[in-house]
Amino acid sequence: YAEIEGELALVFEQVLFTLSEQVFAHCKTRASLMLLDPARLGGIAAADDGAAQALGRNWYAPLLAERTLVLLGRPIDLAAQLTVRMGAMLRSSVDIAISRFESKELLAVVELQAALRACRLTHVLLREGLPDLDEFEEVLAEANEAVGFLSFSSRILDKATRDAIDDLLPNCAYRQDAVLFDRPPPTAFTPPPERDKAPRSTPPHLLFGTSPLNAEYAMLAAAAGTGFGPRHAEALLEVLGEAGMQALSRALSEHLAALLPHSLSSYVLALQEALPAEIKQPSHVYGAAGCLGYYEAKLLDLRGYEELHSGVLHTFRRLGNGVALVRLLEAALGTRSTFALGQLPVEGGQPPLVAAATAVAAAWGQQAADSDMVLMAEQLAGVCAPARSSASLLLP
């Protein structure tokens, strides 16, 4: 009997492990599909069997409704066993998303935003059958290493601050016409910063559910552009939150304030010494070539200044990029606040987006509790909670 009991425990453990992976993969795939454009779902489902199975009804709902199993006369709390495993996989999924972000440049914040949205929605789907699952904010704080009582930082905030100061400001050029930061050809004084290594192997269900969906989201992240612009600033605001954005702006302000007395002032004094005491305007009779030669001769000492490009102009670029980045983040905060203001309910009623989704579901003959559209509207209304009116990045 003891041998039979041991074999049964081993088999049940293996079944539970396989079942947990299948349930989590189904919910993650379902969540990832809900976040995509509905026009693309047909093509994805035709090429991906896992995505096709995740569309429509949640086939694992009856299984998650089971609470207790009896094996050899002993009751087993199936819901508790699944809750523990789902929580562990959800934490691993969030940790992998943050680790992938840490191994890439700041443009990868769009991919991180999509991954965290998928994880958040997966948590909502799992809690429908496993109500004892930990809150998603607790899971995110634990993976983000922001659970300390006096924790004023996190992995995402540290990565964003480090890349903004060490990579975006010195190594990129801001384009006013396109409102984004482009990366010019590298020079000897703009080396790329060192980054952490990406996770070696990641199961598909810990990213977006299936390999085709992982490739789909990778293409969407690449389509966001090769330069840091408003789309990336809005994604950074969502993953950092208001407190994280204020911490990032404070770090940028301190960095820019340190440039003025330590770097720029010494360069300005050196430039003043290199300039000639007097420069007269040459006569037009000398022609364009003669006038140019006159100024080249007068500014010969300035042209020969060793740190003109690597020091003076590079420092001014850091300062200008810093101001442009703060303004870009400020515009993203204003956009989110304006959008959230339009989603506020009237006198405690439903948000307009949720009310519209409920009306569409009723027109289709669906209950609001069974509609994925209503669920997405509720999640979007929660994500777009309004920021404080005092949340300014430019004003102290």
Side-chain angles (χ1 to χ4, degrees), residues 15-364:
V15 169
L16 194 61
F17 174 79
T18 305
L19 180 63
S20 301
E21 280 195 350
Q22 292 180 356
V23 172
F24 188 83
H26 176 81
C27 291
K28 177 60 78 70
T29 304
R30 188 178 178 88
S32 301
L33 290 172
M34 292 168 65
L35 294 173
L36 288 176
D37 185 359
R40 304 180 63 88
L41 297 184
I44 295 176
D48 186 1
D49 294 337
Q53 295 176 359
L55 288 173
R57 182 182 176 184
N58 186 0
W59 299 103
Y60 289 95
L63 175 63
L64 296 179
E66 295 291 334
R67 296 302 176 194
T68 305
L69 293 179
V70 179
L71 296 178
L72 297 180
R74 295 183 179 181
I76 298 178
D77 192 343
L78 179 62
Q81 296 285 341
L82 289 176
T83 298
V84 172
R85 284 163 174 78
M86 293 301 160
M89 282 189 283
L90 191 62
R91 285 175 171 81
S92 298
S93 183
V94 175
D95 180 73
I96 288 174
I98 297 177
S99 298
R100 288 170 59 89
F101 174 61
E102 290 175 331
S103 65
K104 301 178 181 180
E105 55 184 305
L106 198 56
L107 298 177
V109 68
V110 175
E111 178 186 340
L112 176 64
Q113 178 194 35
L116 293 183
R117 283 182 175 181
C119 289
R120 186 184 298 274
L121 192 52
T122 301
H123 177 268
V124 173
L125 297 176
L126 288 173
R127 288 205 73 174
E128 293 178 357
L130 302 173
D132 295 333
L133 201 63
D134 292 339
E135 295 290 339
F136 181 76
E137 298 302 329
E138 297 178 3
V139 176
L140 177 60
E142 181 179 343
N144 200 22
E145 297 181 1
V147 295
F149 180 71
L150 296 178
S151 178
F152 299 103
S153 185
S154 63
R155 292 170 61 186
I156 299 177
L157 177 58
D158 290 343
K159 160 68 177 180
T161 304
R162 184 170 60 251
D163 263 34
I165 294 177
D166 298 338
D167 184 32
L168 191 65
L169 300 190
N171 298 337
C172 294
Y174 182 71
R175 289 178 51 191
Q176 182 66 33
D177 57 339
V179 195
L180 56 82
F181 290 88
D182 266 344
R183 189 177 296 275
T187 60
F189 51 85
T190 57
E194 296 183 359
R195 295 186 174 91
D196 299 336
K197 294 183 179 179
R200 291 186 177 180
S201 60
T202 303
H205 67 275
L206 293 182
L207 288 178
F208 296 99
T210 64
S211 296
L213 279 176
N214 295 342
E216 179 73 16
Y217 275 92
M219 289 189 295
L220 291 177
T226 58
F228 189 91
R231 173 71 178 87
H232 303 83
E234 293 173 4
L236 189 62
L237 172 61
E238 180 175 326
V239 300
L240 285 179
E242 182 184 343
M245 189 62 73
Q246 293 293 326
L248 175 60
S249 65
R250 182 171 59 252
L252 289 173
S253 300
E254 293 175 353
H255 176 71
L256 297 180
L259 286 177
L260 295 175
H262 295 91
S263 300
L264 288 182
S265 60
S266 59
Y267 286 135
V268 169
L269 292 176
L271 289 177
Q272 289 177 343
E273 295 177 358
L275 287 174
E278 183 180 1
I279 301 180
K280 296 181 179 180
Q281 184 177 359
S283 176
H284 67 281
V285 298
Y286 297 112
C291 294
L292 178 61
Y294 172 80
Y295 284 115
E296 286 182 346
K298 284 291 186 179
L299 301 177
L300 185 62
D301 293 339
L302 180 60
R303 291 180 58 190
Y305 184 48
E306 184 179 358
E307 297 185 8
L308 179 61
H309 293 280
S310 62
V312 181
L313 301 182
H314 188 60
T315 303
F316 274 103
R317 178 165 71 171
R318 293 174 69 103
L319 182 63
N321 284 349
V323 175
L325 178 59
V326 171
R327 293 185 62 183
L328 192 62
L329 298 178
E330 178 75 9
L333 183 60
T335 300
R336 176 177 175 179
S337 299
T338 303
F339 180 78
L341 184 62
Q343 298 300 320
L344 289 178
V346 179
E347 296 182 356
Q350 277 187 330
L353 189 61
V354 178
T358 304
V360 173
W364 290 351

